[in-house]
Amino acid sequence: MTTPDTILIVDFGSQVTQLIARRVREAGVYSEVVPFHAAEAALERTKPKALILSGGPASVAESGTPRAALAFFAAGIPVLGICYGEQAMVEALGGVVESGHHREFGRAFLDIADDSALFAGLWDKGTRHQVWMSHGDRVTRLPPGFRVIGTSGGAPFAAIADESRRLYGVQFHPEVVHTPDGAKLLANFVHNVAGLRGDWTMAAFRQSAVAAIRAQVGTRRVVCGLSGGVDSAVAAVLIHEAIGDQLTCILVDHGLMRQDEAREVVELFRGSYNIPLVLAEAGPAFLGALAGVTDPEAKRKTIGRLFIEVFEAEAAKLAAGGEPAEFLAQGTLYPDVIESVSFSGGPSVTIKSHHNVGGLPERMKMKLVEPLRSLFKDEVRALGRELGLPEHFVGRHPFPGPGLAIRCPGEVTEEKLAILRKADAIYLQEIRDAGLYDAIWQAFAVLLPVRTVGVMGDDRTYDYVCALRAVTSVDGMTADFYHFDMAFLARVAGRIVNEVRGINRVTYDVTSKPPGTIEWE
């Protein structure tokens, strides 16, 4: 698939490197992340119009730590180093980075010491701006050709520039929301320094992706596993636009989906898009396999194993009916691709196992079609809108692969799932009715493995506790609980207690999410 002008992001191991790529994409320019040890090959392969060097946990002052290749600076293209990336640039070009100086973690203030193309139209000389720092080392001597353009209390070289070679470094993190003007600074680098137009659009991606799918698949058949989520749905609709009825979708209803979710998917694909769809109703089999299972990881592995078995059986039926598929379509996203090539394994490996149920086995010997593998979640939603998927479907909150099983701690039973499903539906309905759904990143109910004594009317009850969770997020990397007013929570709690038999108490989770993870379950 062809891509427009590219900015290459060299990953030195920062937990927020993906945010750099997102900010560049938001500026309308295609970006690609590569681990530092593969960056020189990627530089030759992609012929990028600019480079950004990410932060990282290592110390340039120590031996054996990641280094910036001289090829980065000999390519004649603009380079921006961020935090560790600035230090790696300085060290590679003859400057000095030292440990043991004043550290800066968290909010700091950048004083603009001089004008530069990096700050043009954004920050003027003599002004002060809030930024987010996270460093223990600092630059103590600049390489030849560089000058200071910004300072902070703990970093006398907090922003540096070599305008003649279009090389820039900042000690702070412009990619995080805690640097209020950070996205604008990155857009400044993309447009004003690198001179890129900003032609990364979903309309252009759609056209290019359809052509790439047709070239890859030809006249052969593709099978796609639907999960009920946005990613697989968008992938399926895009592939169907490219190859029509050569695509067959399989929806495994494992009985762990949200209320009416399987029915909605079937109606959308069969009714609105006329896409061939096989519905495998396997709820009893999954519940039987989960009987007595309480460990969360054991649940996920059980669900993943059985999902593969059911999917494989349905694919075999298609082949026996004269429609063997040579290709398997998946809704793989760019964060998955980045993580799979991370030099360190990355902080999200454990998180991913927490959400996913595993891929299909190699014995199926299918070639993969992954048309979304260069997109972030927000871009997938934009593509869904471009393809005409209904807004209520495109904008739905993320839902983990194991479904309600991990929102039902302890043993999963049909009774508990029915209770949880109804409570969750009431909660989401109230959020939508209040006009809050799109303001919240993710909201859901959890049926706690706790029963409490209560009094309802003249009767004593001994029923479950339902926990409600809602978080806000700009980037999916950090999150805070949504600050509902008490009237809303009282209304939701009243409805759940009154309408859902089996729950006599409702609580609201006010846990915030630390940086560095990919999704919030």
Side-chain angles (χ1 to χ4, degrees), residues 101-408:
H101 293 276
H102 176 69
R103 301 186 302 169
E104 284 182 307
F105 292 96
R107 186 174 66 172
F109 292 93
L110 179 75
D111 293 306
I112 306 304
D114 204 352
D115 294 325
S116 75
L118 185 64
F119 298 154
L122 181 64
W123 293 340
D124 296 325
K125 180 179 178 180
T127 59
R128 169 173 281 197
H129 305 275
Q130 179 182 318
V131 296
W132 191 261
M133 292 283 191
S134 182
H135 67 97
D137 298 351
R138 76 180 187 189
V139 177
T140 57
R141 190 178 73 219
L142 292 178
F146 280 84
R147 62 188 174 91
V148 178
I149 58 175
T151 65
S152 72
F157 303 103
I160 60 176
D162 180 339
E163 303 278 9
S164 64
R165 290 187 287 175
R166 296 185 294 172
L167 305 180
Y168 301 88
V170 294
Q171 188 60 71
F172 58 92
H173 287 271
E175 68 272 27
V176 301
V177 297
H178 308 83
T179 299
D181 290 329
K184 294 178 181 178
L185 184 143
L186 287 171
N188 220 26
F189 175 75
V190 166
H191 297 307
N192 297 335
V193 175
L196 301 183
R197 299 186 303 276
D199 54 0
W200 172 244
T201 67
M202 282 303 103
F205 175 86
R206 174 184 181 178
Q207 183 178 9
S208 177
V210 165
I213 293 166
R214 288 172 178 165
Q216 179 186 9
V217 174
T219 59
R220 289 159 292 184
R221 302 195 64 82
V222 180
V223 63
C224 176
L226 293 178
S227 66
V230 176
D231 305 336
S232 61
V234 171
V237 173
L238 179 65
I239 293 169
H240 185 257
E241 180 172 288
I243 62 172
D245 287 350
Q246 293 170 237
L247 170 71
T248 299
C249 293
I250 298 174
L251 173 62
V252 177
D253 182 359
H254 46 39
L256 305 170
M257 302 174 80
R258 290 171 286 201
Q259 184 166 293
D260 298 327
E261 193 163 45
R263 177 184 58 78
E264 290 175 0
V265 174
V266 171
E267 289 179 354
L268 177 67
F269 277 75
R270 289 180 179 170
S272 299
Y273 286 94
N274 198 30
I275 297 176
L277 170 64
V278 173
L279 174 62
E281 299 185 32
F286 278 83
L287 273 176
L290 289 169
V293 179
T294 59
D295 178 72
E297 287 301 319
K299 285 183 187 178
R300 294 180 188 98
K301 291 177 180 178
T302 299
I303 295 167
R305 173 184 55 77
L306 194 53
F307 180 92
I308 290 170
E309 291 175 2
V310 174
F311 187 95
E312 192 172 18
E314 294 298 333
K317 291 177 186 176
L318 290 173
E323 298 182 348
E326 188 172 330
F327 291 89
L328 169 67
Q330 292 185 339
T332 305
L333 302 191
Y334 196 42
D336 302 313
V337 177
I338 294 172
E339 191 61 41
S340 70
V341 298
S342 171
F343 75 91
S344 63
S348 65
V349 172
T350 300
I351 304 299
K352 285 180 185 295
S353 72
H354 188 59
H355 291 276
N356 299 332
V357 296
L360 295 176
E362 292 183 4
R363 65 175 179 269
M364 292 190 72
K365 300 186 183 303
M366 289 184 176
K367 301 172 184 176
L368 290 179
V369 180
E370 299 174 305
L372 310 182
R373 62 182 284 113
S374 65
L375 300 184
F376 287 101
K377 189 79 169 188
D378 56 328
E379 293 170 327
V380 173
R381 296 190 195 280
L383 178 60
R385 296 183 182 100
E386 172 73 22
L387 291 166
L389 279 161
E391 184 60 35
H392 77 274
F393 195 91
V394 172
R396 62 172 48 182
H397 294 169
F399 192 60
L404 296 179
I406 53 172
R407 295 178 180 174
C408 187

